[in-house]
Amino acid sequence: MKARLVKFGEIEVEGKRYTHDVVIDAGKVRKRKKGPSKQFREEFGHTPLSAEEEIPWGGKRLIVGTGAHGALPVMDEVLAEAKRRGIEVILRRLQWKSVSCWRK
């Protein structure tokens, strides 16, 4: 799938624009439900990605877009769970150009 940062706060995935955080799982796009991670916001200064969220663990890779400024924290528990499952984690700062996302 192709995704690109349109401007701060707006991403385009396969031609459709979103103004909220998204999760792409097996080619389907859904809104990131970060409510379970908000309890950690004060600790990180930003709502982190925590294992409390619905993380798509079905592939061999978990690609996390860390935002326009690379500021999205990923909690150690997420990285530990990925390692336990044998999943490679790729952290990517969103760029002002197209990026291809894949799932193998």
Side-chain angles (χ1 to χ4, degrees), residues 26-101:
K28 295 182 182 174
V29 181
R30 65 175 164 83
K31 184 176 181 174
R32 176 184 171 212
K33 297 176 185 171
K34 55 186 172 181
S37 296
K38 286 190 177 189
Q39 62 184 319
F40 306 110
R41 184 178 190 155
E42 194 171 310
E43 179 182 344
F44 288 89
H46 192 3
T47 304
L49 178 62
S50 77
E52 307 293 320
E53 292 185 40
E54 293 178 45
I55 297 174
W57 294 116
K60 293 181 181 179
R61 291 184 189 92
L62 176 65
I63 302 171
V64 179
T66 57
H69 300 292
L72 176 70
V74 177
M75 294 183 68
D76 290 342
E77 63 184 6
V78 172
L79 301 176
E81 180 62 18
K83 184 176 182 177
R84 186 186 75 75
R85 292 173 181 250
I87 296 172
E88 176 187 13
V89 177
I90 300 169
L91 303 177
R92 283 253 163 98
R93 181 175 163 215
L94 294 177
Q95 301 293 318
W96 299 100
K97 61 181 180 178
S98 294
V99 293
S100 294
C101 302

